[in-house]
Amino acid sequence: MDYPAEWDGNIWAYIEFFITRRMPSDAIVYNAAEKMDRDTMMKAATIWGAEQVLNEKNIGSLEPGKLADFIVIDRDYFKIPEDQIHPVRTLLTVVG
């Protein structure tokens, strides 16, 4: 299964796919049993990503003593419909 070219540079399209398991090009739901809920998907993109690169002591969550990397997005990721995650836009990225 190939990902659509329009997903290049759009992490939100990938996140939507892993939550819905639906490919937008053909509307087929691939392996529905492997859908992720939003909380788990956010952990995979943040905390678990920091663990993957062996840097969870410095990044991955907002805690005292860690780098305060965060983003501001244009809508509430946890409340919008699952099929409307792909158009989320990152308005601000703060690093350090």
Side-chain angles (χ1 to χ4, degrees):
M1 175 176 68
D2 291 324
Y3 294 105
E6 61 267 17
W7 287 13
D8 287 344
N10 183 1
I11 188 66
W12 300 104
Y14 287 95
I15 289 172
E16 179 179 313
F17 173 75
F18 289 116
I19 291 171
T20 65
R21 302 298 294 185
R22 186 176 53 254
M23 186 59 66
S25 56
D26 57 19
I28 294 173
V29 175
Y30 290 88
N31 223 353
E34 292 187 6
K35 288 182 181 181
M36 296 176 75
D37 63 79
R38 292 176 204 232
D39 290 333
T40 303
M41 188 64 234
M42 189 56 63
K43 288 177 183 176
T46 57
I47 296 168
W48 297 347
E51 291 173 359
Q52 182 68 26
V53 295
L54 304 175
N55 201 10
E56 66 272 17
K57 291 181 180 179
N58 298 309
I59 62 174
S61 61
L62 293 174
E63 298 178 53
K66 289 187 174 186
L67 296 172
D69 302 349
F70 65 91
I71 61 171
V72 176
I73 55 178
D74 67 346
R75 59 198 79 189
D76 188 339
Y77 163 80
F78 291 101
K79 293 188 178 173
I80 59 175
E82 289 181 345
D83 65 347
Q84 290 301 308
I85 295 173
H86 71 277
V88 167
R89 295 290 170 247
T90 303
L91 303 175
L92 175 70
T93 302
V94 177
V95 179

